[in-house]
Amino acid sequence: MITALALLCATNLASAEAERVGTATRIETAVNGDYGTVEVKEPVHRDERIVTSRSGLGEFVFRDGTKLAVGAGSVVKIDKYVFDDSNSVKKLSIKAAKGTFRWISGNSKSTAYSILTPAGTIGVRGTKFDFYVGADGKVAMVLLSGRAQFCGTGGCVQLQRKCDCVIAKRGQRPALTRASRKTLTALGNTKALPFLSDNQHLSGGFGSSSDCGMSVAVLDTPNDTTPATKEQSAPNRSQPNKPDAPNRPDTPSTPSDPGTPDTPDTPTPDKRGHGYGDKNHTHTHDPQGHAYGGANGGGKGHNK
């Protein structure tokens, strides 16, 4: 218990004694320092190591007015900070281990600033620029205003025009080029310079006067490589699709009414026969169909 309290007190004492060199003006997601999580309006200190999360962003303003933006997945250390007076410094240097950054010079002389990277040193000349340090040590720098130089193995390269770009590797001479859509392709990372390619957005005081044509570079990398398919209408979310109802079989036709058979015609008695017109006239026939009686219509079987 006593040991824990001693360590806590020692940590707080070290924090109090550490020289405050700047202030956090904006924090997104998560930014950590040597003394814990960094919050807005909290100080940063000399020799402090700043680390941002994979989606983090930190904006810092130093006491001489210098501004430093630290993008996602970055690690940087405030290496040296020597005051000249209340508004300027004799020496301000930082070590960028990895990630992406924006630098805007403050009120101090340009010779007071230096930025150390794995591939070389950036010399500042009253400048605004972005730079990137890859996990493999590859470095890229894009000038936005003023002048700067990058010194690596084999010599130095001067950046004098807006959108001048340097790409450097460990052990190789830095190459001067112009920032364009091809810059991110050369770096193999579409998020290498997020403040220029629109992957991260800075506050107004840190904003860029130019994206150097890189804001559309991410459009060259398709987000979806799935082959296009024929567009289909979306199903109704409230009711599942129902299979089409089978066609109803035709109702068999009702056979035509055969109708009542025709009543055979009643034979009309021959006017010339016997008993014509006599309703009461009857006679009896023999088995051969001959009427009994004589030819004169009288005789047996006739009733009158």
Side-chain angles (χ1 to χ4, degrees), residues 94-97 114-123 129 131-133 137-141 149-157 166-174:
I94 64 172
K95 287 183 178 179
S114 63
I115 299 170
L116 309 177
T117 77
T121 301
I122 298 173
F129 56 87
F131 64 102
Y132 162 78
V133 180
K138 184 184 292 185
V139 175
M141 173 184 173
Q149 69 175 6
F150 188 96
C151 295
T153 302
C156 296
V157 175
V166 167
I167 296 179
K169 297 180 182 179
R170 288 191 183 106
Q172 297 183 9
R173 182 181 178 84

Side-chain angles (χ1 to χ4, degrees), residues 28-50:
E28 294 289 341
T29 310
V31 178
N32 295 308
D34 290 342
Y35 308 106
T37 302
V38 180
E39 303 290 346
V40 174
K41 295 183 179 181
E42 288 189 348
V44 290
H45 307 85
R46 186 181 61 186
D47 297 326
E48 186 169 9
R49 184 171 176 265
I50 305 297

Side-chain angles (χ1 to χ4, degrees), residues 38-39 47 50 60 72 78 88 90 101 105 116 118 121 124 129 133-134 145 149 214 239 242 278-279 284 290 297:
V38 180
E39 303 290 346
D47 297 326
I50 305 297
F60 304 92
I78 303 171
S88 63
K90 290 182 178 180
F101 309 88
S105 297
L116 309 177
T121 301
V124 180
F129 56 87
V133 180
S145 67
Q149 69 175 6
M214 296 177 65
Q239 295 181 353
K242 296 181 179 180
D278 186 358
K279 296 181 179 180
T284 305
H290 300 289

